[in-house]
Amino acid sequence: QESSCSTAMQAACECVCDLYGLEKVTDDLRGVLLMADRFPEIEESCSLEQPSAETAQEQQLEGLQQKVFRLKQFIQMLQKDMEASAGSAQPKREDMRAKAGKLNDRYVLSSALMSNAGDTVFEVALTALLLITAPDALEKEKDVRKAANKAISPMDRKQWDQFYQTIQGVEAAINEGRTKPEVWAKVKGLAEHLSQHYVGHRFRAGGGLCTSMCEWVMAASAYHELSSEMATKKKQLSTLQKELQGAQLQLDEAIDASAQSDGVSAA
């Protein structure tokens, strides 16, 4: 394969060649071979400047001590951050549970589905609700009200009970990581829209339930986001703890080696 370099890079390479007495070489291959021939001299000159074994050992020990110290710092910071995230997630989880209880009215929802046609806020909330509980319904039917009538079917008691059980199970699905990021990314966008438009909005029917639906969607979205962040931080913490364990082992071995070289028994 052919490669090219910039004018600045070419000039830098020519300077390096000049430093090693290859200023008159114009052929690329010959220049490479001659430069390679110079490396034994370079390594020999560098070896004369190598630090003593004692100094190298001290530098290694200091480096490991710094690594262990920094890892402990990072772990402590991450744990504090996780505690703060857990504290923020708790109110969202409680809000989800409270608002879910207010959605358990199939008669009001049936009325809302019939009367709120063309209501953008209602349809945004309903879309988010279906994405969370029955995402396949929106793939089969693009009209969100028709999709809700088929998936939820408020006047069919058996189907309604299954739907409401799904709502109650959302918290566990989030906690256990049984969610699809691409679906919840859409939910987040819809929740942001609701947060800007639902306050003070007048629904034609089922106002209380519709407002609770908006608030449940927003709480669920926020809780999902915090839980996802927490899951990522847990993985990071596990990785850092493993790295700390390895670094601490290396440090202990380096301390033992240093003690032995000083004539002090590790025992």
Side-chain angles (χ1 to χ4, degrees):
Q1 293 182 347
E2 293 185 0
S3 61
S4 61
C5 63
S6 65
T7 304
M9 180 61 74
Q10 184 176 349
C13 292
E14 289 173 357
C15 289
V16 173
C17 289
D18 291 346
L19 288 172
Y20 291 100
L22 303 177
E23 68 276 1
K24 295 182 180 180
V25 177
T26 56
D27 180 69
D28 290 342
L29 179 58
R30 182 164 174 263
V32 170
L33 292 173
L34 287 171
M35 179 60 79
D37 187 52
R38 287 287 193 273
F39 276 113
E41 299 175 17
I42 299 168
E43 291 176 359
E44 183 179 354
S45 63
C46 289
S47 65
L48 296 175
E49 300 175 1
Q50 290 296 321
S52 66
E54 184 180 354
T55 302
Q57 191 177 51
E58 290 175 357
Q59 290 176 346
Q60 182 190 24
L61 187 60
E62 184 179 350
L64 287 169
Q65 288 172 331
Q66 284 293 324
K67 184 176 182 180
V68 168
F69 176 73
R70 294 300 180 194
L71 283 170
K72 287 181 178 179
Q73 273 191 323
F74 292 148
I75 288 172
Q76 187 178 21
M77 290 169 60
L78 186 56
Q79 287 174 330
K80 286 182 178 180
D81 192 33
M82 290 173 66
E83 288 175 5
S85 295
S88 299
Q90 181 64 23
K92 301 301 180 184
R93 179 167 56 239
E94 292 175 354
D95 199 22
M96 273 182 65
R97 293 172 181 174
K99 296 302 184 295
K102 295 181 179 180
L103 297 180
N104 191 17
D105 191 328
R106 60 196 184 104
Y107 298 105
V108 174
L109 181 58
S110 178
S111 174
L113 286 171
M114 289 188 294
S115 303
N116 288 313
D119 187 316
T120 303
V121 175
F122 175 75
E123 292 184 351
V124 167
L126 191 60
T127 299
L129 180 69
L130 288 180
L131 281 172
I132 294 170
T133 59
D136 293 342
L138 290 171
E139 294 180 5
K140 298 174 183 177
E141 175 59 67
K142 300 304 179 185
D143 186 308
V144 66
R145 289 171 56 253
K146 291 181 180 179
N149 272 313
K150 291 178 181 178
I152 301 173
S153 191
M155 301 316 295
D156 183 328
R157 184 56 186 259
K158 183 178 179 181
Q159 195 166 340
W160 169 262
D161 287 344
Q162 290 176 344
F163 164 72
Y164 190 67
Q165 285 177 1
T166 303
I167 286 180
Q168 291 179 310
V170 170
E171 180 186 333
I174 293 173
N175 292 340
E176 296 165 11
R178 294 184 285 107
T179 58
K180 296 180 179 179
E182 63 276 13
V183 170
W184 282 87
K186 294 177 183 178
V187 172
K188 181 181 178 181
L190 295 171
E192 290 174 351
H193 178 87
L194 290 174
S195 68
Q196 297 172 11
H197 297 91
Y198 94 101
V199 177
H201 183 76
R202 296 179 65 85
F203 299 94
R204 297 189 195 96
L209 182 141
C210 293
T211 298
S212 294
M213 186 194 305
C214 293
E215 292 172 344
W216 182 83
V217 166
M218 290 186 293
S221 176
Y223 181 65
H224 180 271
E225 186 172 5
L226 287 167
S227 296
S228 298
E229 290 176 0
M230 182 68 77
T232 300
K233 289 171 184 175
K234 284 181 179 178
K235 290 179 181 178
Q236 292 173 343
L237 180 61
S238 177
T239 300
L240 286 172
Q241 287 174 331
K242 288 178 182 177
E243 191 172 348
L244 174 60
Q245 187 177 9
Q248 186 65 60
L249 181 62
Q250 288 180 317
L251 177 59
D252 292 341
E253 291 174 349
I255 291 173
D256 289 343
S258 177
Q260 289 172 6
S261 66
D262 291 339
V264 179
S265 172

